[in-house]
Amino acid sequence: IAHILSRCSHVEYRGTRFPMEKDARQSVFSVVGEMLQDGMKVIAVARKHVGTRKEITPDDEKDMTLVGYLSFFDAPKQTAGESVTALKRLKVIPKILTGDQAAIALSVCRRGGISAEHILTGTQLDEMTDCELKKVVEETHVFAELTPGQKVRLVSALKENGHTVGFMGDGINDAPALVRSDVGIAMTSGIDIAIESADIVLMKNDLMDVPTAIKLSKDTIRNIKQNLFWAFGYNTIGI
């Protein structure tokens, strides 16, 4: 929103064009802020008459007129909160890595039961050294306004700290992190590049499948260790 507003000199209201004064800008931010707090994604729409020219350059992106907004609301899946609780019981720490604005991420956390006492943005992340990030990534669970490269950097930091990292994503911006993670998870509703980059594709849009799969895997590994124990002895397999 801020990037579009910085290129607008006027605003259109009920068919009439007005200069974009300071009060008008503040009004826009107030309206948009309320929508962001409700978890909506907001896109500002502006226009400019450029005559009959066939070529448009970045220099033309100024003195535009704000005409309105497009807002989208992606409600968290019904099983989101339940799956987060189940993951915590399995000693899995859920973290959110999103390109959305911080206010949207906060709204999703409230609905999903994820701690969001501190949110780190992509801009703040860029100011940190790798050593600083390796410490912060342990204490922070919500990261917003991220680029695809920043998601990869966070996944890498967690892996370097000794964690086994699973990453779930369904968009083109998630593909690099899906590849970098130990286990990339996508859904059939995701785009092709995300599905192709993932190690596991969930056939149902049920997030409870993830903790269920982790529990089954833990049970399987425990059974294998127990069988090896009885077959070869405690000292032999080093349990």
PDB file of all heavy atoms in Angstrom, residues 45-85:
ATOM      1  N   VAL A  45      -5.199   0.133  -5.775  1.00  0.00           N
ATOM      2  CA  VAL A  45      -5.367   0.249  -7.231  1.00  0.00           C
ATOM      3  C   VAL A  45      -5.285   1.722  -7.622  1.00  0.00           C
ATOM      4  O   VAL A  45      -6.012   2.563  -7.079  1.00  0.00           O
ATOM      5  CB  VAL A  45      -6.724  -0.332  -7.686  1.00  0.00           C
ATOM      6  CG1 VAL A  45      -6.868  -0.197  -9.198  1.00  0.00           C
ATOM      7  CG2 VAL A  45      -6.853  -1.789  -7.257  1.00  0.00           C
ATOM      8  N   ALA A  46      -4.384   2.026  -8.543  1.00  0.00           N
ATOM      9  CA  ALA A  46      -4.211   3.409  -9.015  1.00  0.00           C
ATOM     10  C   ALA A  46      -4.140   3.414 -10.530  1.00  0.00           C
ATOM     11  O   ALA A  46      -3.857   2.387 -11.158  1.00  0.00           O
ATOM     12  CB  ALA A  46      -2.947   4.018  -8.422  1.00  0.00           C
ATOM     13  N   ARG A  47      -4.404   4.591 -11.118  1.00  0.00           N
ATOM     14  CA  ARG A  47      -4.358   4.692 -12.574  1.00  0.00           C
ATOM     15  C   ARG A  47      -3.767   6.035 -12.993  1.00  0.00           C
ATOM     16  O   ARG A  47      -3.664   6.976 -12.209  1.00  0.00           O
ATOM     17  CB  ARG A  47      -5.745   4.538 -13.164  1.00  0.00           C
ATOM     18  CG  ARG A  47      -6.700   5.685 -12.846  1.00  0.00           C
ATOM     19  CD  ARG A  47      -8.064   5.409 -13.417  1.00  0.00           C
ATOM     20  NE  ARG A  47      -9.008   6.497 -13.144  1.00  0.00           N
ATOM     21  CZ  ARG A  47     -10.297   6.438 -13.403  1.00  0.00           C
ATOM     22  NH1 ARG A  47     -10.805   5.333 -13.931  1.00  0.00           N
ATOM     23  NH2 ARG A  47     -11.101   7.464 -13.131  1.00  0.00           N
ATOM     24  N   LYS A  48      -3.393   6.081 -14.275  1.00  0.00           N
ATOM     25  CA  LYS A  48      -2.836   7.311 -14.838  1.00  0.00           C
ATOM     26  C   LYS A  48      -3.043   7.293 -16.344  1.00  0.00           C
ATOM     27  O   LYS A  48      -2.843   6.262 -17.000  1.00  0.00           O
ATOM     28  CB  LYS A  48      -1.339   7.412 -14.506  1.00  0.00           C
ATOM     29  CG  LYS A  48      -0.666   8.641 -15.086  1.00  0.00           C
ATOM     30  CD  LYS A  48       0.822   8.648 -14.753  1.00  0.00           C
ATOM     31  CE  LYS A  48       1.515   9.862 -15.352  1.00  0.00           C
ATOM     32  NZ  LYS A  48       2.964   9.876 -15.025  1.00  0.00           N
ATOM     33  N   HIS A  49      -3.439   8.427 -16.884  1.00  0.00           N
ATOM     34  CA  HIS A  49      -3.634   8.534 -18.335  1.00  0.00           C
ATOM     35  C   HIS A  49      -2.288   8.878 -18.985  1.00  0.00           C
ATOM     36  O   HIS A  49      -1.653   9.875 -18.638  1.00  0.00           O
ATOM     37  CB  HIS A  49      -4.656   9.623 -18.658  1.00  0.00           C
ATOM     38  CG  HIS A  49      -4.914   9.777 -20.122  1.00  0.00           C
ATOM     39  ND1 HIS A  49      -5.511   8.792 -20.882  1.00  0.00           N
ATOM     40  CD2 HIS A  49      -4.631  10.813 -20.966  1.00  0.00           C
ATOM     41  CE1 HIS A  49      -5.590   9.208 -22.130  1.00  0.00           C
ATOM     42  NE2 HIS A  49      -5.069  10.433 -22.208  1.00  0.00           N
ATOM     43  N   VAL A  50      -1.857   8.026 -19.906  1.00  0.00           N
ATOM     44  CA  VAL A  50      -0.558   8.240 -20.557  1.00  0.00           C
ATOM     45  C   VAL A  50      -0.712   8.515 -22.045  1.00  0.00           C
ATOM     46  O   VAL A  50       0.271   8.443 -22.802  1.00  0.00           O
ATOM     47  CB  VAL A  50       0.361   7.022 -20.333  1.00  0.00           C
ATOM     48  CG1 VAL A  50       0.723   6.886 -18.874  1.00  0.00           C
ATOM     49  CG2 VAL A  50      -0.283   5.742 -20.868  1.00  0.00           C
ATOM     50  N   GLY A  51      -1.900   8.833 -22.473  1.00  0.00           N
ATOM     51  CA  GLY A  51      -2.102   9.161 -23.882  1.00  0.00           C
ATOM     52  C   GLY A  51      -2.020   7.935 -24.773  1.00  0.00           C
ATOM     53  O   GLY A  51      -2.411   6.835 -24.396  1.00  0.00           O
ATOM     54  N   THR A  52      -1.465   8.124 -25.936  1.00  0.00           N
ATOM     55  CA  THR A  52      -1.405   7.035 -26.927  1.00  0.00           C
ATOM     56  C   THR A  52      -0.040   6.370 -26.977  1.00  0.00           C
ATOM     57  O   THR A  52       0.227   5.582 -27.883  1.00  0.00           O
ATOM     58  CB  THR A  52      -1.754   7.594 -28.322  1.00  0.00           C
ATOM     59  OG1 THR A  52      -0.828   8.657 -28.653  1.00  0.00           O
ATOM     60  CG2 THR A  52      -3.171   8.134 -28.355  1.00  0.00           C
ATOM     61  N   ARG A  53       0.835   6.699 -26.033  1.00  0.00           N
ATOM     62  CA  ARG A  53       2.170   6.112 -26.039  1.00  0.00           C
ATOM     63  C   ARG A  53       2.102   4.595 -25.885  1.00  0.00           C
ATOM     64  O   ARG A  53       1.324   4.071 -25.093  1.00  0.00           O
ATOM     65  CB  ARG A  53       3.016   6.702 -24.904  1.00  0.00           C
ATOM     66  CG  ARG A  53       3.488   8.124 -25.206  1.00  0.00           C
ATOM     67  CD  ARG A  53       4.463   8.630 -24.158  1.00  0.00           C
ATOM     68  NE  ARG A  53       3.809   8.794 -22.858  1.00  0.00           N
ATOM     69  CZ  ARG A  53       4.267   8.265 -21.745  1.00  0.00           C
ATOM     70  NH1 ARG A  53       5.351   7.515 -21.763  1.00  0.00           N
ATOM     71  NH2 ARG A  53       3.639   8.481 -20.601  1.00  0.00           N
ATOM     72  N   LYS A  54       2.941   3.891 -26.630  1.00  0.00           N
ATOM     73  CA  LYS A  54       2.956   2.440 -26.574  1.00  0.00           C
ATOM     74  C   LYS A  54       3.930   1.926 -25.517  1.00  0.00           C
ATOM     75  O   LYS A  54       3.792   0.800 -25.032  1.00  0.00           O
ATOM     76  CB  LYS A  54       3.328   1.859 -27.941  1.00  0.00           C
ATOM     77  CG  LYS A  54       2.298   2.146 -29.033  1.00  0.00           C
ATOM     78  CD  LYS A  54       2.700   1.504 -30.342  1.00  0.00           C
ATOM     79  CE  LYS A  54       1.658   1.767 -31.424  1.00  0.00           C
ATOM     80  NZ  LYS A  54       2.051   1.137 -32.713  1.00  0.00           N
ATOM     81  N   GLU A  55       4.927   2.723 -25.195  1.00  0.00           N
ATOM     82  CA  GLU A  55       5.930   2.286 -24.222  1.00  0.00           C
ATOM     83  C   GLU A  55       5.723   3.004 -22.891  1.00  0.00           C
ATOM     84  O   GLU A  55       5.620   4.221 -22.849  1.00  0.00           O
ATOM     85  CB  GLU A  55       7.344   2.544 -24.742  1.00  0.00           C
ATOM     86  CG  GLU A  55       7.727   1.695 -25.949  1.00  0.00           C
ATOM     87  CD  GLU A  55       9.180   1.882 -26.328  1.00  0.00           C
ATOM     88  OE1 GLU A  55       9.900   2.592 -25.579  1.00  0.00           O
ATOM     89  OE2 GLU A  55       9.597   1.330 -27.354  1.00  0.00           O
ATOM     90  N   ILE A  56       5.669   2.200 -21.825  1.00  0.00           N
ATOM     91  CA  ILE A  56       5.534   2.729 -20.471  1.00  0.00           C
ATOM     92  C   ILE A  56       6.804   2.386 -19.703  1.00  0.00           C
ATOM     93  O   ILE A  56       7.270   1.237 -19.724  1.00  0.00           O
ATOM     94  CB  ILE A  56       4.314   2.123 -19.749  1.00  0.00           C
ATOM     95  CG1 ILE A  56       3.049   2.317 -20.584  1.00  0.00           C
ATOM     96  CG2 ILE A  56       4.149   2.745 -18.370  1.00  0.00           C
ATOM     97  CD1 ILE A  56       2.682   3.756 -20.826  1.00  0.00           C
ATOM     98  N   THR A  57       7.386   3.376 -19.028  1.00  0.00           N
ATOM     99  CA  THR A  57       8.626   3.177 -18.289  1.00  0.00           C
ATOM    100  C   THR A  57       8.368   3.386 -16.787  1.00  0.00           C
ATOM    101  O   THR A  57       7.345   3.957 -16.403  1.00  0.00           O
ATOM    102  CB  THR A  57       9.706   4.158 -18.759  1.00  0.00           C
ATOM    103  OG1 THR A  57       9.320   5.493 -18.381  1.00  0.00           O
ATOM    104  CG2 THR A  57       9.871   4.091 -20.279  1.00  0.00           C
ATOM    105  N   PRO A  58       9.302   2.949 -15.942  1.00  0.00           N
ATOM    106  CA  PRO A  58       9.150   3.178 -14.494  1.00  0.00           C
ATOM    107  C   PRO A  58       8.986   4.648 -14.137  1.00  0.00           C
ATOM    108  O   PRO A  58       8.369   4.985 -13.118  1.00  0.00           O
ATOM    109  CB  PRO A  58      10.441   2.593 -13.921  1.00  0.00           C
ATOM    110  CG  PRO A  58      10.834   1.524 -14.890  1.00  0.00           C
ATOM    111  CD  PRO A  58      10.465   2.089 -16.235  1.00  0.00           C
ATOM    112  N   ASP A  59       9.535   5.545 -14.978  1.00  0.00           N
ATOM    113  CA  ASP A  59       9.408   6.980 -14.693  1.00  0.00           C
ATOM    114  C   ASP A  59       7.957   7.448 -14.793  1.00  0.00           C
ATOM    115  O   ASP A  59       7.606   8.515 -14.269  1.00  0.00           O
ATOM    116  CB  ASP A  59      10.275   7.785 -15.669  1.00  0.00           C
ATOM    117  CG  ASP A  59      11.769   7.581 -15.414  1.00  0.00           C
ATOM    118  OD1 ASP A  59      12.110   7.229 -14.267  1.00  0.00           O
ATOM    119  OD2 ASP A  59      12.564   7.760 -16.342  1.00  0.00           O
ATOM    120  N   ASP A  60       7.129   6.671 -15.487  1.00  0.00           N
ATOM    121  CA  ASP A  60       5.718   7.037 -15.611  1.00  0.00           C
ATOM    122  C   ASP A  60       4.929   6.714 -14.344  1.00  0.00           C
ATOM    123  O   ASP A  60       3.790   7.164 -14.189  1.00  0.00           O
ATOM    124  CB  ASP A  60       5.079   6.290 -16.796  1.00  0.00           C
ATOM    125  CG  ASP A  60       5.636   6.776 -18.133  1.00  0.00           C
ATOM    126  OD1 ASP A  60       5.700   7.996 -18.325  1.00  0.00           O
ATOM    127  OD2 ASP A  60       6.012   5.925 -18.958  1.00  0.00           O
ATOM    128  N   GLU A  61       5.531   5.929 -13.446  1.00  0.00           N
ATOM    129  CA  GLU A  61       4.821   5.502 -12.237  1.00  0.00           C
ATOM    130  C   GLU A  61       4.885   6.584 -11.158  1.00  0.00           C
ATOM    131  O   GLU A  61       5.445   6.398 -10.078  1.00  0.00           O
ATOM    132  CB  GLU A  61       5.407   4.180 -11.729  1.00  0.00           C
ATOM    133  CG  GLU A  61       5.226   3.028 -12.710  1.00  0.00           C
ATOM    134  CD  GLU A  61       5.847   1.745 -12.214  1.00  0.00           C
ATOM    135  OE1 GLU A  61       6.391   1.737 -11.087  1.00  0.00           O
ATOM    136  OE2 GLU A  61       5.808   0.744 -12.941  1.00  0.00           O
ATOM    137  N   LYS A  62       4.290   7.697 -11.457  1.00  0.00           N
ATOM    138  CA  LYS A  62       4.206   8.816 -10.519  1.00  0.00           C
ATOM    139  C   LYS A  62       3.008   9.675 -10.912  1.00  0.00           C
ATOM    140  O   LYS A  62       2.463   9.539 -12.018  1.00  0.00           O
ATOM    141  CB  LYS A  62       5.482   9.646 -10.525  1.00  0.00           C
ATOM    142  CG  LYS A  62       5.817  10.255 -11.880  1.00  0.00           C
ATOM    143  CD  LYS A  62       7.143  11.004 -11.836  1.00  0.00           C
ATOM    144  CE  LYS A  62       7.467  11.605 -13.206  1.00  0.00           C
ATOM    145  NZ  LYS A  62       8.761  12.313 -13.207  1.00  0.00           N
ATOM    146  N   ASP A  63       2.587  10.552  -9.981  1.00  0.00           N
ATOM    147  CA  ASP A  63       1.424  11.415 -10.232  1.00  0.00           C
ATOM    148  C   ASP A  63       0.196  10.604 -10.638  1.00  0.00           C
ATOM    149  O   ASP A  63      -0.589  11.027 -11.498  1.00  0.00           O
ATOM    150  CB  ASP A  63       1.746  12.457 -11.316  1.00  0.00           C
ATOM    151  CG  ASP A  63       2.844  13.411 -10.879  1.00  0.00           C
ATOM    152  OD1 ASP A  63       2.928  13.687  -9.669  1.00  0.00           O
ATOM    153  OD2 ASP A  63       3.629  13.853 -11.741  1.00  0.00           O
ATOM    154  N   MET A  64       0.049   9.451 -10.030  1.00  0.00           N
ATOM    155  CA  MET A  64      -1.112   8.610 -10.335  1.00  0.00           C
ATOM    156  C   MET A  64      -2.294   8.968  -9.430  1.00  0.00           C
ATOM    157  O   MET A  64      -2.161   9.743  -8.483  1.00  0.00           O
ATOM    158  CB  MET A  64      -0.744   7.131 -10.171  1.00  0.00           C
ATOM    159  CG  MET A  64       0.324   6.658 -11.155  1.00  0.00           C
ATOM    160  SD  MET A  64       0.507   4.853 -11.203  1.00  0.00           S
ATOM    161  CE  MET A  64       1.132   4.528  -9.553  1.00  0.00           C
ATOM    162  N   THR A  65      -3.446   8.379  -9.743  1.00  0.00           N
ATOM    163  CA  THR A  65      -4.669   8.633  -8.976  1.00  0.00           C
ATOM    164  C   THR A  65      -5.116   7.349  -8.299  1.00  0.00           C
ATOM    165  O   THR A  65      -5.351   6.330  -8.960  1.00  0.00           O
ATOM    166  CB  THR A  65      -5.796   9.144  -9.883  1.00  0.00           C
ATOM    167  OG1 THR A  65      -5.385  10.362 -10.512  1.00  0.00           O
ATOM    168  CG2 THR A  65      -7.068   9.393  -9.082  1.00  0.00           C
ATOM    169  N   LEU A  66      -5.241   7.387  -6.981  1.00  0.00           N
ATOM    170  CA  LEU A  66      -5.730   6.237  -6.233  1.00  0.00           C
ATOM    171  C   LEU A  66      -7.232   6.105  -6.443  1.00  0.00           C
ATOM    172  O   LEU A  66      -7.976   7.051  -6.219  1.00  0.00           O
ATOM    173  CB  LEU A  66      -5.420   6.405  -4.738  1.00  0.00           C
ATOM    174  CG  LEU A  66      -5.905   5.275  -3.828  1.00  0.00           C
ATOM    175  CD1 LEU A  66      -5.079   4.022  -4.063  1.00  0.00           C
ATOM    176  CD2 LEU A  66      -5.815   5.703  -2.361  1.00  0.00           C
ATOM    177  N   VAL A  67      -7.668   4.919  -6.875  1.00  0.00           N
ATOM    178  CA  VAL A  67      -9.091   4.727  -7.153  1.00  0.00           C
ATOM    179  C   VAL A  67      -9.761   3.742  -6.191  1.00  0.00           C
ATOM    180  O   VAL A  67     -10.984   3.655  -6.142  1.00  0.00           O
ATOM    181  CB  VAL A  67      -9.312   4.256  -8.605  1.00  0.00           C
ATOM    182  CG1 VAL A  67      -8.853   5.324  -9.581  1.00  0.00           C
ATOM    183  CG2 VAL A  67      -8.603   2.935  -8.870  1.00  0.00           C
ATOM    184  N   GLY A  68      -8.988   2.988  -5.426  1.00  0.00           N
ATOM    185  CA  GLY A  68      -9.612   2.065  -4.478  1.00  0.00           C
ATOM    186  C   GLY A  68      -8.689   0.949  -4.056  1.00  0.00           C
ATOM    187  O   GLY A  68      -7.464   1.011  -4.261  1.00  0.00           O
ATOM    188  N   TYR A  69      -9.277  -0.093  -3.464  1.00  0.00           N
ATOM    189  CA  TYR A  69      -8.508  -1.225  -2.976  1.00  0.00           C
ATOM    190  C   TYR A  69      -9.173  -2.535  -3.384  1.00  0.00           C
ATOM    191  O   TYR A  69     -10.377  -2.593  -3.634  1.00  0.00           O
ATOM    192  CB  TYR A  69      -8.416  -1.229  -1.437  1.00  0.00           C
ATOM    193  CG  TYR A  69      -8.385   0.116  -0.779  1.00  0.00           C
ATOM    194  CD1 TYR A  69      -9.548   0.685  -0.278  1.00  0.00           C
ATOM    195  CD2 TYR A  69      -7.188   0.813  -0.636  1.00  0.00           C
ATOM    196  CE1 TYR A  69      -9.533   1.915   0.341  1.00  0.00           C
ATOM    197  CE2 TYR A  69      -7.149   2.042  -0.019  1.00  0.00           C
ATOM    198  CZ  TYR A  69      -8.330   2.602   0.465  1.00  0.00           C
ATOM    199  OH  TYR A  69      -8.310   3.826   1.073  1.00  0.00           O
ATOM    200  N   LEU A  70      -8.355  -3.569  -3.439  1.00  0.00           N
ATOM    201  CA  LEU A  70      -8.855  -4.939  -3.559  1.00  0.00           C
ATOM    202  C   LEU A  70      -8.457  -5.649  -2.276  1.00  0.00           C
ATOM    203  O   LEU A  70      -7.301  -5.593  -1.860  1.00  0.00           O
ATOM    204  CB  LEU A  70      -8.233  -5.654  -4.759  1.00  0.00           C
ATOM    205  CG  LEU A  70      -8.551  -5.093  -6.144  1.00  0.00           C
ATOM    206  CD1 LEU A  70      -7.769  -5.846  -7.205  1.00  0.00           C
ATOM    207  CD2 LEU A  70     -10.041  -5.182  -6.429  1.00  0.00           C
ATOM    208  N   SER A  71      -9.409  -6.294  -1.614  1.00  0.00           N
ATOM    209  CA  SER A  71      -9.100  -6.988  -0.368  1.00  0.00           C
ATOM    210  C   SER A  71      -9.469  -8.462  -0.488  1.00  0.00           C
ATOM    211  O   SER A  71     -10.457  -8.823  -1.133  1.00  0.00           O
ATOM    212  CB  SER A  71      -9.843  -6.357   0.808  1.00  0.00           C
ATOM    213  OG  SER A  71     -11.240  -6.438   0.631  1.00  0.00           O
ATOM    214  N   PHE A  72      -8.623  -9.294   0.101  1.00  0.00           N
ATOM    215  CA  PHE A  72      -8.823 -10.740   0.057  1.00  0.00           C
ATOM    216  C   PHE A  72      -8.712 -11.288   1.475  1.00  0.00           C
ATOM    217  O   PHE A  72      -7.884 -10.825   2.267  1.00  0.00           O
ATOM    218  CB  PHE A  72      -7.765 -11.417  -0.819  1.00  0.00           C
ATOM    219  CG  PHE A  72      -7.652 -10.827  -2.194  1.00  0.00           C
ATOM    220  CD1 PHE A  72      -6.827  -9.730  -2.436  1.00  0.00           C
ATOM    221  CD2 PHE A  72      -8.362 -11.365  -3.256  1.00  0.00           C
ATOM    222  CE1 PHE A  72      -6.712  -9.176  -3.699  1.00  0.00           C
ATOM    223  CE2 PHE A  72      -8.257 -10.814  -4.524  1.00  0.00           C
ATOM    224  CZ  PHE A  72      -7.434  -9.724  -4.744  1.00  0.00           C
ATOM    225  N   PHE A  73      -9.506 -12.285   1.780  1.00  0.00           N
ATOM    226  CA  PHE A  73      -9.435 -12.901   3.092  1.00  0.00           C
ATOM    227  C   PHE A  73      -9.294 -14.401   2.939  1.00  0.00           C
ATOM    228  O   PHE A  73     -10.176 -15.060   2.383  1.00  0.00           O
ATOM    229  CB  PHE A  73     -10.684 -12.593   3.930  1.00  0.00           C
ATOM    230  CG  PHE A  73     -10.647 -13.211   5.303  1.00  0.00           C
ATOM    231  CD1 PHE A  73      -9.754 -12.769   6.256  1.00  0.00           C
ATOM    232  CD2 PHE A  73     -11.504 -14.257   5.619  1.00  0.00           C
ATOM    233  CE1 PHE A  73      -9.704 -13.348   7.515  1.00  0.00           C
ATOM    234  CE2 PHE A  73     -11.465 -14.845   6.877  1.00  0.00           C
ATOM    235  CZ  PHE A  73     -10.568 -14.378   7.822  1.00  0.00           C
ATOM    236  N   ASP A  74      -8.147 -14.928   3.391  1.00  0.00           N
ATOM    237  CA  ASP A  74      -7.912 -16.366   3.395  1.00  0.00           C
ATOM    238  C   ASP A  74      -8.113 -16.866   4.820  1.00  0.00           C
ATOM    239  O   ASP A  74      -7.222 -16.706   5.674  1.00  0.00           O
ATOM    240  CB  ASP A  74      -6.492 -16.691   2.924  1.00  0.00           C
ATOM    241  CG  ASP A  74      -6.304 -16.391   1.448  1.00  0.00           C
ATOM    242  OD1 ASP A  74      -7.303 -16.479   0.715  1.00  0.00           O
ATOM    243  OD2 ASP A  74      -5.180 -16.078   1.038  1.00  0.00           O
ATOM    244  N   ALA A  75      -9.246 -17.431   5.074  1.00  0.00           N
ATOM    245  CA  ALA A  75      -9.521 -17.936   6.422  1.00  0.00           C
ATOM    246  C   ALA A  75      -8.628 -19.139   6.711  1.00  0.00           C
ATOM    247  O   ALA A  75      -8.431 -19.994   5.840  1.00  0.00           O
ATOM    248  CB  ALA A  75     -10.985 -18.340   6.543  1.00  0.00           C
ATOM    249  N   PRO A  76      -8.045 -19.202   7.907  1.00  0.00           N
ATOM    250  CA  PRO A  76      -7.240 -20.381   8.269  1.00  0.00           C
ATOM    251  C   PRO A  76      -8.079 -21.646   8.139  1.00  0.00           C
ATOM    252  O   PRO A  76      -9.286 -21.641   8.374  1.00  0.00           O
ATOM    253  CB  PRO A  76      -6.855 -20.106   9.733  1.00  0.00           C
ATOM    254  CG  PRO A  76      -6.953 -18.623   9.885  1.00  0.00           C
ATOM    255  CD  PRO A  76      -8.089 -18.208   8.990  1.00  0.00           C
ATOM    256  N   LYS A  77      -7.434 -22.731   7.771  1.00  0.00           N
ATOM    257  CA  LYS A  77      -8.150 -23.993   7.643  1.00  0.00           C
ATOM    258  C   LYS A  77      -8.732 -24.395   8.994  1.00  0.00           C
ATOM    259  O   LYS A  77      -8.176 -24.095  10.049  1.00  0.00           O
ATOM    260  CB  LYS A  77      -7.208 -25.078   7.105  1.00  0.00           C
ATOM    261  CG  LYS A  77      -6.698 -24.765   5.702  1.00  0.00           C
ATOM    262  CD  LYS A  77      -5.861 -25.897   5.168  1.00  0.00           C
ATOM    263  CE  LYS A  77      -5.300 -25.541   3.785  1.00  0.00           C
ATOM    264  NZ  LYS A  77      -6.361 -25.273   2.826  1.00  0.00           N
ATOM    265  N   GLN A  78      -9.851 -25.087   8.967  1.00  0.00           N
ATOM    266  CA  GLN A  78     -10.560 -25.446  10.186  1.00  0.00           C
ATOM    267  C   GLN A  78      -9.700 -26.269  11.139  1.00  0.00           C
ATOM    268  O   GLN A  78      -9.867 -26.212  12.358  1.00  0.00           O
ATOM    269  CB  GLN A  78     -11.845 -26.211   9.834  1.00  0.00           C
ATOM    270  CG  GLN A  78     -12.888 -25.358   9.108  1.00  0.00           C
ATOM    271  CD  GLN A  78     -14.153 -26.125   8.819  1.00  0.00           C
ATOM    272  OE1 GLN A  78     -14.204 -27.346   8.982  1.00  0.00           O
ATOM    273  NE2 GLN A  78     -15.188 -25.424   8.394  1.00  0.00           N
ATOM    274  N   THR A  79      -8.773 -27.043  10.576  1.00  0.00           N
ATOM    275  CA  THR A  79      -7.940 -27.911  11.417  1.00  0.00           C
ATOM    276  C   THR A  79      -6.622 -27.245  11.816  1.00  0.00           C
ATOM    277  O   THR A  79      -5.771 -27.905  12.423  1.00  0.00           O
ATOM    278  CB  THR A  79      -7.641 -29.225  10.675  1.00  0.00           C
ATOM    279  OG1 THR A  79      -7.042 -28.920   9.397  1.00  0.00           O
ATOM    280  CG2 THR A  79      -8.912 -30.022  10.453  1.00  0.00           C
ATOM    281  N   ALA A  80      -6.442 -25.953  11.490  1.00  0.00           N
ATOM    282  CA  ALA A  80      -5.163 -25.286  11.775  1.00  0.00           C
ATOM    283  C   ALA A  80      -4.848 -25.273  13.267  1.00  0.00           C
ATOM    284  O   ALA A  80      -3.765 -25.688  13.693  1.00  0.00           O
ATOM    285  CB  ALA A  80      -5.191 -23.864  11.221  1.00  0.00           C
ATOM    286  N   GLY A  81      -5.793 -24.795  14.069  1.00  0.00           N
ATOM    287  CA  GLY A  81      -5.553 -24.714  15.503  1.00  0.00           C
ATOM    288  C   GLY A  81      -5.319 -26.077  16.128  1.00  0.00           C
ATOM    289  O   GLY A  81      -4.420 -26.254  16.964  1.00  0.00           O
ATOM    290  N   GLU A  82      -6.107 -27.052  15.706  1.00  0.00           N
ATOM    291  CA  GLU A  82      -5.979 -28.418  16.241  1.00  0.00           C
ATOM    292  C   GLU A  82      -4.625 -29.018  15.881  1.00  0.00           C
ATOM    293  O   GLU A  82      -3.988 -29.695  16.704  1.00  0.00           O
ATOM    294  CB  GLU A  82      -7.113 -29.290  15.690  1.00  0.00           C
ATOM    295  CG  GLU A  82      -7.147 -30.701  16.238  1.00  0.00           C
ATOM    296  CD  GLU A  82      -8.272 -31.535  15.628  1.00  0.00           C
ATOM    297  OE1 GLU A  82      -9.032 -30.983  14.798  1.00  0.00           O
ATOM    298  OE2 GLU A  82      -8.373 -32.718  15.974  1.00  0.00           O
ATOM    299  N   SER A  83      -4.176 -28.779  14.653  1.00  0.00           N
ATOM    300  CA  SER A  83      -2.900 -29.350  14.213  1.00  0.00           C
ATOM    301  C   SER A  83      -1.724 -28.703  14.939  1.00  0.00           C
ATOM    302  O   SER A  83      -0.736 -29.378  15.262  1.00  0.00           O
ATOM    303  CB  SER A  83      -2.729 -29.179  12.697  1.00  0.00           C
ATOM    304  OG  SER A  83      -2.646 -27.817  12.338  1.00  0.00           O
ATOM    305  N   VAL A  84      -1.811 -27.399  15.222  1.00  0.00           N
ATOM    306  CA  VAL A  84      -0.750 -26.718  15.963  1.00  0.00           C
ATOM    307  C   VAL A  84      -0.624 -27.308  17.359  1.00  0.00           C
ATOM    308  O   VAL A  84       0.479 -27.584  17.847  1.00  0.00           O
ATOM    309  CB  VAL A  84      -1.035 -25.200  16.046  1.00  0.00           C
ATOM    310  CG1 VAL A  84      -0.113 -24.538  17.076  1.00  0.00           C
ATOM    311  CG2 VAL A  84      -0.840 -24.556  14.687  1.00  0.00           C
ATOM    312  N   THR A  85      -1.759 -27.532  18.016  1.00  0.00           N
ATOM    313  CA  THR A  85      -1.750 -28.138  19.357  1.00  0.00           C
ATOM    314  C   THR A  85      -1.150 -29.539  19.317  1.00  0.00           C
ATOM    315  O   THR A  85      -0.348 -29.922  20.180  1.00  0.00           O
ATOM    316  CB  THR A  85      -3.178 -28.203  19.916  1.00  0.00           C
ATOM    317  OG1 THR A  85      -3.724 -26.884  19.996  1.00  0.00           O
ATOM    318  CG2 THR A  85      -3.185 -28.830  21.297  1.00  0.00           C
TER     319      THR A  85
END
